[in-house]
Amino acid sequence: MRNGAVLILGARSDIAMALAHRFAKAEYDIQLAARNAESLDASRCDIELRYKVTVRLHEFDALDITSHKGVLEDLAELPTIAVCAVGYMGEQAQSERDTKAAIKVLRSNFEGPASILAELANKFAQRGSGTLVGISSVAGERGRATNYVYGSAKAGLTAFLSGLRNRLAKKGVHVVTVLPGFVATQMTDGMDLPARLTAEPDEVADAVFKAVRNRNNIIYVKPIWRLIMVIIRNIPERIFKRMKI
Amino acid sequence: MKLSGWGRYPTIDAQVTAPRSTDELANLVKEGSAIARGNGRAYGDSAVSPTNTIHMKHFNRMLAFDEESGQLVAEAGVLLADVIEAFLPRGWFPSVTPGTKFVTLGGMIAADVHGKNHHKDGSFGSYVDWIDIFTADGTVQRCSQTENTELFEWTIGGMGLTGVILRAAIRLRPVTSAWIEQTTLAADNITHAIELFENSLDATYSVAWIDCLQTGEELGRSLVMLGEHAQATSVPLRYRKQPFQMPAKRKLNIPVDVPGWVLNSFSVRAFNALYYWNGKRRPKRQIVDWDSYFYPLDSVLGWNKIYGPHGFAQFQCVIPLSQAEDGLTELLAAIASAGAGSFLAVLKRFGAQESRFSFPMEGYTLALDFPVNRKSLALMNELDSITLQHNGRFYLAKDSRMQRDVFLQSDRRAEDYSKYRRDESVSAAYSSAQSERLGL
Ligand SMILES: Cc1cc2nc3c(=O)[nH]c(=O)nc-3n(C[C@H](O)[C@H](O)[C@H](O)COP(=O)(O)OP(=O)(O)OC[C@H]3O[C@@H](n4cnc5c(N)ncnc54)[C@H](O)[C@@H]3O)c2cc1C
């Protein structure tokens, strides 16, 4: 039995790889899209061997938005599900000093993902089915001194996904927004993260898989984050602006 | 971070890095005193370097499989559990497996692990076609029985001290189902147990569980368990149409340390007696699923915590065939008289094996767990001397406490290995807390 294909954009990240394994296990073929796609060949073999599905590699650069239409045209088949796991944290301090660095963060987390998701949205709408998944972040829920460049881009992505959902609901296309809290990945290697609040990439993948199956709209990976973000969103601005958070 | 092996003893403050690419790995190896770490299932300090432990968890991809020969090419950090999950449904099983599936291919090669079929099939190394290894000079070398043979032979069973294994080609065995036909035989004492083993050399798998608190006539009272891969026609009815399908199982979890008094000799005695009589009463023939047969302990996650916060140590030796009965009798007598029982006293028959440095040789191997305390550490020293007197040797994958001179006395090959490491300038690049302790 074959369930169609899952396209994973930004396939090199730990979360993306965990997603590829999770969906392959559920008998979906996998399309991995990333820069230097051929370097993912070992992962392609691995997933094919483990789950007996077909895995294809596709060259994809989130920042090269003029190429995005072509990326989709090159796919052997239009995927049933597409997950955008593109993201780049950058360093807040550097973004403050260097506008170019800040723009790279903004473009990687907002412009690039929005561009490819927009192309996919049109194709899915035309077909009248499919699921789009955007990996956004709790950092987009409120700007904080320590990472507002990244956070604001993610806020843009969250709003974009919510708009897409609103538009595509009548067209049979479902949109899932994923808000992971801390995740133990290459991006956070070496950071000192609180264990109870930190998810493993596998947990993110499981949560996304369930959300797609159950057609949930917005999910937090660890339920505790829903509560934390309710509190953080509701702190009055005059207090929030003085907080170190 | 604080790091130890599966026995949680000794605990060492160690620098651990998990590289994601060969380039990152190369930079780490440059720093010297490096040791690769698989899944930390060796009991002691063999996968720990205080300054430079290299965790292989990101090298975990399977690369190719040949449906004809059963050859699997995979990165060293792949877990045996994942190999089984992927290939048992297609009719393939590891040719040799240790008593836990939570080991990596790199760890299995480095320790040249043995299974319950050693007497028939040899150790894991016999099923390794080639190895890609990151050596001390910063290059990747392919080695096999025909290419770079010295490196190949020292790496199999070499405890990570020749370099970092990156990839390997191993052969799986075709099996007829995911089930094992098990025959249980009760042995009245150690002489009887040996007799049963010697009469069962045709059996694919054999192992004995010893009630090591018995003395006198009953010294070495045990259950000898034989196993064969079941034909598809003899698997339980419910699974007969899909002989590789498995019933789903729940996992037990031991999240906290169990206080020491739970393991006093009285409770062990009660447990052992119960187990023995249950085994004796059990039908002689049984059909069991692969997971319960090969990995009974894996269903209790974190069982290493039942020995409490001080951890535990395993004693495992092999005594050559000609002296096995005498040697085992003395070992068991010493254990019984110390009254330091162990839940797990396991006896296996090894077949012939000649290798550069691997543990097995033809004879009998005895393995026991002890909680770490003064009394059992003293007892283990006594067991060391008995083993030496009978020309036996010790399994480094289980060792965490042996003295250097005991080790060097037990294994003449150690000197050659040290010389090889010096000649090839590997000693400075690769070392573990264990190799330092034992002077390898
Ligand atoms: C419950 C239990 C039952 C067991 N039963 C058996 C048994 O029946 N038979 C048996 O033979 N053993 C048995 N063992 C021991 C176990 O099989 C070995 O210790 C094995 O080496 C552990 O593999 P690992 O991946 O956890 O390696 P680790 O414990 O992480 O490392 C073990 C050794 O392998 C080296 N190593 C690991 N990866 C690499 C690499 N990529 N390159 C180079 N060196 C590497 C390390 O340096 C170290 O010397 C058992 C262990 C447990 C906990």
Side-chain angles (χ1 to χ4, degrees), chain A residues 14 25 42-43 45-46 48-52 185-186 189, chain B residues 20 60-65 72 78 82 85-87 90:
Chain A
D14 291 337
K25 191 175 183 164
S43 300
C45 296
D46 182 44
E48 288 193 339
L49 279 175
R50 283 178 198 243
Y51 312 104
K52 285 191 132 176
T185 63
Q186 188 166 18
D189 252 359
Chain B
R20 286 168 183 269
N60 65 346
R61 288 162 299 203
M62 304 190 203
L63 303 172
F65 184 67
L72 171 69
V78 166
D82 289 352
E85 186 177 324
F87 294 104
R90 292 174 228 179

Side-chain angles (χ1 to χ4, degrees), chain B residues 122-186:
Chain B
S123 61
F124 192 73
S126 312
Y127 303 89
V128 177
D129 288 339
W130 53 258
I131 301 168
D132 277 348
I133 178 157
F134 194 90
T135 56
D137 62 12
T139 60
V140 178
Q141 305 274 346
R142 172 140 323 169
C143 60
S144 69
Q145 259 157 21
T146 52
E147 194 179 349
N148 276 327
T149 42
E150 264 221 302
L151 179 61
F152 185 69
E153 288 174 2
W154 285 120
T155 297
I156 292 177
M159 300 306 291
L161 297 167
T162 56
V164 179
I165 299 166
L166 292 177
R167 280 174 291 274
I170 63 163
R171 262 168 295 128
L172 305 180
R173 67 159 67 204
V175 291
T176 36
S177 75
W179 298 80
I180 297 286
E181 267 182 76
Q182 177 178 302
T183 307
T184 308
L185 310 170

Side-chain angles (χ1 to χ4, degrees), chain B residues 354-368:
Chain B
E354 292 292 325
S355 341
R356 284 288 168 101
F357 196 59
S358 300
F359 167 63
M361 64 165 125
E362 181 157 39
Y364 280 85
T365 179
L366 181 70
L368 314 103

Side-chain angles (χ1 to χ4, degrees), chain B residues 6 36 38-42 46 99 104 107 110 113-114 159-160 165 348 395:
Chain B
W6 180 245
N39 203 33
R41 248 49 177 194
S46 58
T104 64
V113 297
H114 55 267
M159 300 306 291
I165 299 166
K348 282 183 229 172
Y395 192 15

